[in-house]
Amino acid sequence: MSSSPRCTFAIISHPDAGKTTMTEKLLWFGGVVREAGMVKSKTGDYAKSDWMELEKQRGISITSSVMSFEYNDRALHLLDTPGHKDFSEDTYRTLTAVESVLMMIDSAKGVEAQTIKLMDVCRMRDTPIVTFMNKFDREAMDPFALLDNIESILKIQCIPMTWPVGNGVDFKGVYDFQTKQILSFKDSKDPFSPSFIDASDLNSSALVAELGVALRDKLLEELEMVETLIPGFRMDEYQAGIQTPVFFGSALKNFGVKETLDLITQIAPTPKPREAVLAPYDSSADRITIDPTDPEFTGFVFKIQANMDPKHRDRISFMRVCSGKFTRNDKIFHVRSGKEIRIATPLIFQARDREIAEEAVAGDIIGLYDTGKYQIGDTFTMGKKQIRYTGIPSFSPELFMRVTAKDPMRAKHLEKGLAQLSEEGATQLFIRRHTNEKMLGAVGALQFEVVKFRLEDEYSVEATYEPVAWAGVRWLKFPDKKSEEKFAQEYSSVIMEDKEHRLCFAVRTEWDLRLAMEKNPSIEFFKNSDYIE
Ligand code: G4P
């Protein structure tokens, strides 16, 4: 990519609010797709950006993908997030790699269940958000009611950048508070040569002729209310996640999309400093802050995706570059394994296409071909620098399954498949200490379906899945080795190891947990694996 300032952002929405449609329009502005609505592949055929067979069957987007393009002198990386609630961990990890978010709302429905969940995740990191009220070409909620709905449920102050004039069949366009013009919906075939109605004088006869008296009066009244009731946009409040600038439009009709993207490229933050600890990782490790301008290269893996190209069955690790510069063929240091690895084919992504990245700087997302060496959360540095980025934890699962291969001859394949899928973050794999049983943990049931599907499809393993009625796990921290051994013996039936061989306590009931905590006050119990946080 060019040397333009980076803009790394994610798009979030409840399923069906229009995230896919919006993504395609954004890519169209970025020149990545030829025809809005279809994502181009190198072979010349056109296909929607669904990657996995299961996604297609269920009509849901499970995996997050990355799309890079240039627009308005910014190098953008757009990260897709799964809308389905069962993949909230994946969304959390994706949001660790971005500086800001575009939130899509279905204007006929307002805030929906998954919007609330996604917003909670944004809150954890105070991520700045731009909001797009979608589907205004159809019957929508009253704009004040919509703003109120968002403010009261999501607890974020809405600052309209535009205002809808009519809606559904009467939708005339949007009034722009800055230019005092109405962007006409009627003539919006080509968003690059928009048609405007002058609205600098709301009493002009030309405007009345254009809108009709009723709509003009309504607009006049609404704009007055906005002026008196809603404060102006403040950059610092947007950056702190307190205010969100709001646009009204229609992704499907490519209306209001350009204005939204224009603002994102103007205000979305450039790469920010990030917290790390000095490796090796333990609770007493020193925390440091790595600045994006730090000349030494660092980055971390936030996502691993298999089968992006089913023909090749490959696995790609997505790395967010946090500081310095990486040049193709550089040797980078994989902190967890202590090995230096030469990266000859770093990838950048444009919808379905991938290209070799010659270099990457802070804010960039690059793909590394992965033969199974990398894990989510892995840190890369240059010059054997021993740091580890924090903030990419595993959360306590809420659902558990015991997995065994139907054919004992396939047990090794099952082991390999489960290990790889857990490194990708599809589910979490725990090994029960005293029985060596494989226990899968998930936040949502669909995660198990993905694992089952992929074990059969990619590893040819049929397995038996038995639900286990546990309520969660706790990661444990012991004051010393002796207390660890004593505890592991006493509670052997509920002691498990996670993929990094950390000891975990399986919670049968909250009562059990409380008792164990009371009996062992020197041992700490954590709900997520990154307990250093
Ligand atoms: P998602 O990724 O958030 O799940 O939503 P997606 O973009 O797939 O959109 C969900 C449905 O809403 C699609 O219709 C899409 O065409 C429609 N849609 C998106 N934006 C707009 C808009 O601005 N106006 C209107 N009227 N509709 C919009 P579908 O019938 O479910 O799918 P399809 O047959 O169009 O593929």
Side-chain angles (χ1 to χ4, degrees):
M1 294 188 98
S2 71
S3 59
S4 311
R6 267 46 187 169
C7 174
T8 312
F9 71 114
I11 180 162
I12 61 172
S13 84
H14 185 89
D16 266 0
K19 184 163 60 74
T20 310
T21 312
M22 186 66 158
T23 302
E24 287 171 348
K25 298 295 149 66
L26 296 175
L27 292 176
W28 185 70
F29 281 108
V32 177
V33 293
R34 210 168 53 186
E35 198 183 313
M38 300 302 261
V39 174
K40 188 176 67 172
S41 84
K42 267 248 160 76
T43 51
D45 54 333
Y46 286 79
K48 289 223 166 187
S49 59
D50 279 348
W51 273 319
M52 289 173 62
E53 198 52 38
L54 190 66
E55 289 190 42
K56 281 186 217 150
Q57 284 174 12
R58 296 188 139 264
I60 50 167
S61 171
I62 292 170
T63 47
S64 321
S65 43
V66 181
M67 286 151 272
S68 303
F69 56 99
E70 301 261 343
Y71 182 79
N72 261 0
D73 296 328
R74 292 227 29 198
L76 291 104
H77 296 287
L78 170 59
L79 278 61
D80 190 15
T81 54
H84 199 285
K85 68 173 172 34
D86 285 8
F87 302 98
S88 49
E89 249 197 290
D90 195 17
T91 301
Y92 181 88
R93 292 190 292 252
T94 297
L95 293 183
T96 63
V98 303
E99 263 78 32
S100 69
V101 154
L102 169 60
M103 174 167 71
M104 301 290 292
I105 299 284
D106 182 332
S107 301
K109 296 183 175 156
V111 172
E112 296 175 84
Q114 189 58 8
T115 332
I116 301 171
K117 288 233 164 80
L118 289 161
M119 187 69 186
D120 285 344
V121 177
C122 291
R123 280 258 177 272
M124 290 185 205
R125 306 176 58 85
D126 292 333
T127 311
I129 297 168
V130 171
T131 302
F132 189 84
M133 303 290 199
N134 194 26
K135 305 194 184 181
F136 250 85
D137 56 311
R138 286 203 317 216
E139 219 45 52
M141 280 166 73
D142 169 78
F144 283 110
L146 255 178
L147 297 185
D148 188 51
N149 176 261
I150 293 200
E151 292 199 351
S152 58
I153 299 177
L154 300 183
K155 308 275 178 271
I156 188 161
Q157 189 176 36
C158 293
I159 310 295
M161 298 286 110
T162 58
W163 195 259
V165 185
N167 85 40
V169 285
D170 280 337
F171 186 50
K172 298 279 187 227
V174 291
Y175 173 87
D176 185 323
F177 285 98
Q178 217 169 14
T179 61
K180 302 201 186 315
Q181 289 186 318
I182 294 169
L183 176 62
S184 170
F185 179 62
K186 185 178 60 184
D187 306 318
S188 72
K189 290 275 178 296
D190 176 7
F192 284 111
S193 36
S195 162
F196 293 103
I197 304 165
D198 179 23
S200 51
D201 176 4
L202 291 168
N203 294 312
S204 81
S205 51
L207 187 65
V208 175
E210 197 66 57
L211 304 182
V213 178
L215 260 189
R216 194 287 312 262
D217 286 354
K218 187 165 181 281
L219 177 66
L220 199 69
E221 191 187 328
E222 289 181 344
L223 294 186
E224 259 176 39
M225 278 172 75
V226 171
E227 299 257 300
T228 37
L229 295 176
I230 302 179
F233 170 74
R234 281 187 47 179
M235 189 70 168
D236 55 339
E237 302 226 320
Y238 155 71
Q239 282 177 344
I242 298 167
Q243 280 191 351
T244 175
V246 175
F247 289 88
F248 297 84
S250 161
L252 187 66
K253 301 283 159 83
N254 214 343
F255 185 78
V257 176
K258 181 176 182 298
E259 292 66 27
T260 309
L261 186 58
D262 282 346
L263 188 81
I264 289 173
T265 53
Q266 281 162 29
I267 65 170
T270 50
K272 285 184 178 164
R274 277 171 189 265
E275 278 225 328
V277 290
L278 295 175
Y281 171 56
D282 74 54
S283 59
S284 59
D286 288 327
R287 282 159 186 266
I288 47 171
T289 302
I290 310 274
D291 199 84
T293 58
D294 192 313
E296 278 184 57
F297 162 83
T298 61
F300 67 89
V301 173
F302 65 94
K303 173 162 189 70
I304 296 178
Q305 194 167 355
N307 300 327
M308 279 179 57
D309 183 348
K311 275 179 253 149
H312 297 109
R313 288 225 180 276
D314 54 1
R315 182 167 129 145
I316 306 280
S317 286
F318 289 95
M319 177 171 65
R320 152 86 199 211
V321 180
C322 299
S323 69
K325 186 159 123 183
F326 161 82
T327 309
R328 184 180 165 203
N329 282 322
D330 273 351
K331 263 190 181 172
I332 55 176
F333 181 60
H334 182 227
V335 177
R336 187 172 50 82
S337 68
K339 289 192 177 131
E340 281 192 299
I341 300 162
R342 185 182 300 284
I343 308 290
T345 47
L347 303 169
I348 52 167
F349 298 87
Q350 296 188 328
R352 284 196 131 201
D353 294 342
R354 45 176 89 169
E355 280 171 13
I356 303 280
E358 288 304 326
E359 51 180 47
V361 296
D364 281 341
I365 308 286
I366 54 173
L368 311 176
Y369 281 113
D370 179 7
T371 53
K373 289 194 287 281
Y374 310 140
Q375 287 181 12
I376 286 173
D378 279 359
T379 300
F380 289 91
T381 64
M382 208 78 95
K384 302 196 177 174
K385 190 172 179 167
Q386 295 274 351
I387 63 151
R388 177 188 180 281
Y389 278 105
T390 56
I392 314 123
S394 299
F395 295 98
S396 170
E398 287 154 25
L399 304 166
F400 295 87
M401 290 271 188
R402 181 185 294 114
V403 192
T404 33
K406 279 188 183 162
D407 173 2
M409 302 293 280
R410 305 292 296 166
K412 275 265 167 295
H413 296 81
L414 174 71
E415 210 163 291
K416 185 175 168 213
L418 288 178
Q420 291 201 343
L421 294 176
S422 77
E423 278 157 22
E424 285 174 30
T427 51
Q428 292 182 55
L429 173 65
F430 299 93
I431 306 291
R432 210 170 173 178
R433 262 255 180 111
H434 78 309
T435 57
N436 228 12
E437 286 167 307
K438 292 170 191 59
M439 312 298 290
L440 282 189
V443 178
L446 258 183
Q447 283 179 266
F448 292 132
E449 271 198 50
V450 172
V451 168
K452 181 171 183 296
F453 182 93
R454 290 189 54 191
L455 278 175
E456 287 169 15
D457 189 48
E458 294 162 37
Y459 299 89
S460 309
V461 179
E462 298 243 355
T464 313
Y465 301 82
E466 298 163 74
V468 179
W470 287 342
V473 297
R474 293 293 180 274
W475 279 266
L476 300 167
K477 200 173 121 205
F478 300 94
D480 50 51
K481 203 75 203 154
K482 212 170 128 216
S483 65
E484 177 176 333
E485 278 164 18
K486 184 168 167 286
F487 186 87
Q489 210 165 29
E490 192 174 339
Y491 294 89
S492 62
S493 65
V494 285
I495 292 294
M496 309 193 289
E497 283 182 25
D498 75 358
K499 67 181 192 308
E500 286 173 45
H501 306 293
R502 288 176 295 210
L503 234 51
C504 302
F505 176 88
V507 181
R508 272 188 295 229
T509 62
E510 286 299 322
W511 169 257
D512 270 3
L513 173 65
R514 228 184 16 249
L515 220 59
M517 289 170 82
E518 275 167 18
K519 270 184 77 181
N520 300 278
S522 64
I523 298 169
E524 291 178 76
F525 294 69
F526 295 93
K527 263 189 164 169
N528 78 58
S529 66
D530 219 354
Y531 47 76
I532 197 156
E533 301 286 298

